[in-house]
Amino acid sequence: MLKNFSGKGEQTVLESISYTSDYEFSNGCRAPPWRQIHGEICYVLVKPHDVETLCITCSAEGVFLNGGKTDNEGEINYERKGEIYKDLVTFLKEKSAKFSENMSKQEKRFSDKKEKKEPTNEPPEKEEAAPVQKAITGSGKRTLEKNQINFGKSQMTKRLEPSLRWKATVRFKEYRSLLRDPQEEKHRRRPERSGPPVKPGRAQLVRKSTEKIEEIVSESSSESEEDEEPLDRQEANADLPSEYWQIQKLVKYLKGGNQTATVIALCSMKDFNLAQETCQLAIRDVGGLEVLINLLDTDEVKCKIGSLKILKEISHNPQIRRNIVDLGGLPVMVNTLDSPHKSLKCLAAETIANVAKFRRARQAVRRYGGITKLVALLHCGKSSAELAQSSLYDARDVEVARCGALALWSCSKSYTNKEAIRKAGGIPLLARLLKTSHENMLIPVVGTLQECASEENYRAAIKAERIIENLVKNLNSENEQLQEHCAMAIYQCAEDKETRDLVRLHGGLKRLASLLDNTDNKERLAAVTGAIWKCSISKENVTKFREYKAIETLVGLLTDQPEEVLVNVVGALGECCQDYENRVLVRKCGGIPPLVNLLVGVNQALLVNVTKAVGACAVEPESMMIIDRLDGVRLLWSLLKNPHPEVKASAAWALCPCIQNTKDAGEMVRSFVGGLELVVNLLKSDNKEVLASVCAAITNIAKDQENLAVITDRGVVPLLSKLANTNNDKLRRHLAEAISHCCMWGRNRVAFGEYKAVAPLVHYLKSDDPNVHRATAQALYQLSEDADNCVTIHENGAVKRRKMENLFENCHLCQRKVETHLRCVARSARDGSGSAAGVMPHGLHRWKCSVCTVTRRGSKDASSQ
Amino acid sequence: MNRKKLQKLTDTLTKNCKHFNKFEVQCLINLFYNMVGDVTERQGMVTGLDRNAFRNILHMTFGMTDDMIMDRVFRGFDKDNDGCVNVSEWISGLSVFLRGTLEEKMKYCFEVFDLNGDGFISKEEMFHMLKNSLLKQPSEEDPDEGIKDLVEITLKKMDHDHDGKLSFSDYEQAVREETLLLEAFGPCLPDPKSEMEFEAQVFKDPNEFNDI
């Protein structure tokens, strides 16, 4: 405000000026709410040059000296000590001679430079200065104060209009901050200007004072805003809902009453519609939150109960939650959990459950030891659950445990809290609570488990505590929410094979399948289909699902469902279609067209699953015909351009069976303009899965000579060779296959040798994966037709001969292997480099390969070639 | 007092009292006679705690401070209105005081709050009871304004038939909706902490009396 023209300098009017409090309420006032009702806006400490520091109250009536600020408590004595002045400037003029003198100087300068000032306005300031100018031009020769007030008024009316609508507080704030911004910009710019005053030349002085007055105007405008505000506020008051005033009154009684009055006020406050935002914000705006939280620190059980009952309700509001955390409400609530009163524990836990909906709050709960205490609440339910059987249980104990679970559910959304719950021994307790039959209890318990099941540790513990059994049992409940959370928990856990088996053993699959029939509750449907998806990773489960006619239902769900459901449905179908019967079933139910239609979507997870499902279907030639007819291959191919590597890989995998099972595959592949180039370029990816899938696709593409020629032209050989140095077995296998197929064209064999792909390939034989061996053997066989490659193979192979022998022990004789090496030996002998020539044939009798049974078809090919 | 009489007294009182067992009644009787002092029973003289002694107990043991409420609690105990609480009034009073069901407590509290005993809690009675419940703020012109307002708030909340006073059924309904309103006009029941302390102190050492 006036701050900027205070300081030690001669030209300044004041030594210092500051607010007593930095906190500004949302209505722009700085006075505490209980003073605001007296029309007071803020308190200012002013130090003029000649008089002592003055503590001034700015209120609706005007400006007056108050009782001063006591140093030790920082409290202001609000009593009026002096006359009321119409504004701060008048007040100061009266109190300080120096101020008045300097002020008149400023004034003079202002009127002098007024003309100049307008053009000197910098463009960015124009907006902010516009009302000033208006006020100035409008007022002509009027005094500075008048200008200020005018300015203040024009801006204030503009500014305070939105505040008439309390319901729109949020919008109002935004609006305010918008208005504030230009001013802040000015504040930031100020330091540059107020450099040490060099001996001012005339022009400089002029400029400086102009700037200064500019600031006086803009700054004191805010000052007069303070003066004007109450007037507007009073008008605004009429528009505030009556609840606001009633709540304000009640908060006053809360503050000033003994426990009897407090309880009455709390009960009365509870009768307001606390679900309504007006009331929630009113409680906050009149300083009720502080009082309510303070009450929790007292010994009065009744006051605490009453306070928590209100906090519980209003904490549904996200803004209030944040305020509660800011005011330090969580530590007291966490402490309240220790209370011997069950109802208090319940309320505290329930309130925490509401408040801990955002990260900082969850963190705070943990930091104050809340997790351990909440877990301890579950103990209550434990004993009561046992008592329940002897029909002696106390409903309140169950309630305590329920509230505890509710709070844990909220807290369990963050990773560290999940860990904390586990460490506090929460899992066995949750498992025990899961055995009760109270639906209210089960929902938060299952909810917590479902949240936590995202962690590996929990999944192991869930298995160990035999929780799955109870989850399956609760799946049979009538409560849709409970079903949803159970299904969700199964979905999370069923990544694990044993869990999938458990779900089947406890008869959960049938229930899951039957839950598919009700499609109204989309969230539950998503959870159920998710559980089915994960469960169907096990073959046995798929068989069961077929028995329960789930496949047909799933196909029916392929249309008109939200994406969350579709992802799971398609995922489940993708798993199911690994079975021949199911592929036929899906085709017969007309599942292929909707699947192919989904290929045009944008959801990444969905695309991954759809491509997988389509790929699974394409294994069936008959289904492939349908896919081809629907142009599915082209759609798959275009997904290779998808930015997500997972989608790319999945699409490339899906293309493999498509190419295999189409009659004129070569012709079809060629018909995709730029398609082959796209595939070859994908070899530049750095994602292993993409590379492996593309290699597999290339293997299939290369079966067609013409296409092989095209991809060779596109530089497939150097790209493949570059990939050869890898440790990834999946990539090795598909890479070796791709290389062996690419050898069939032109001088590719030689080229692979030139690009140094051969030596790394030989080393693949050290891998433990028989599939890698098979593919590598095939590739080496192809490569060995070139003499130079033979030498390389031999050199690398001879060194590792012993190892290789060991590797292939206990296996059937591998034709391919033998041929390769015979060739190698022959050539190297011919080339004169066969140092091991005598050794090899001897060793050959023991060259055995673990995969020759698998390669049988390949061997036939080889012998025919 | 001889042993036989004491035994007989214990038996009768235990029969009439549903919240204490025989041992607890015995303890309370002992406590009572300890406090009354070993007054030998004289014909025509009432043995018991007079108003001051009783108020002293309420204050020291149960932490009550409001004189008026304490007077009312005394009257609540002193069923026969003879100015002192005798042993059977002591036992039956404490039975509600410490262990009463919600119904019993409501009845008891209502009697306490119904200052003139006309079956209604009037505005004036409320005002009287809430008089000291708010901090006086020097700035306020009318210091009673807050109290009056508080009475209005209470009436609005509890007076279901809108006759400007609380009948027992008004009160009962309000308390059933919100148990916190049981002691709406001042604490007239022990707070849980002192209740537990009292019970722990009085009912300790069971072996001593087991044979009686």
Side-chain angles (χ1 to χ4, degrees), chain A residues 834-852:
Chain A
S835 55
V839 184
M840 280 306 277
H842 171 67
L844 274 176
H845 298 291
R846 285 158 63 207
W847 280 106
K848 291 165 185 180
C849 177
S850 56
V851 275
C852 18

Side-chain angles (χ1 to χ4, degrees), chain A residues 246 249-250 252-253 255-261 263-265 267-268 270-271 299 301-302 305-306 309 341, chain B residues 130 132-135 137 140 145-146 149-150 153-154 156-157 177-178 180-181 183-187 192-193:
Chain A
Q246 286 163 3
K249 205 169 58 185
L250 289 174
K252 198 174 87 187
Y253 297 145
K255 280 180 188 156
N258 67 2
Q259 66 138 315
T260 313
V263 169
I264 292 176
C267 291
S268 171
K270 224 185 62 169
D271 284 346
D299 282 335
V301 177
K302 282 187 188 152
I305 292 179
K309 276 184 179 170
H341 295 273
Chain B
L130 294 176
N132 297 319
S133 66
L134 284 180
L135 276 179
Q137 283 180 342
E140 310 239 353
E145 202 192 297
D149 195 34
L150 213 51
I153 290 173
T154 323
K156 191 179 146 206
K157 177 137 182 70
E177 278 168 22
E178 178 51 83
L180 291 177
L181 289 172
E183 295 173 79
F185 305 106
K193 206 173 134 202

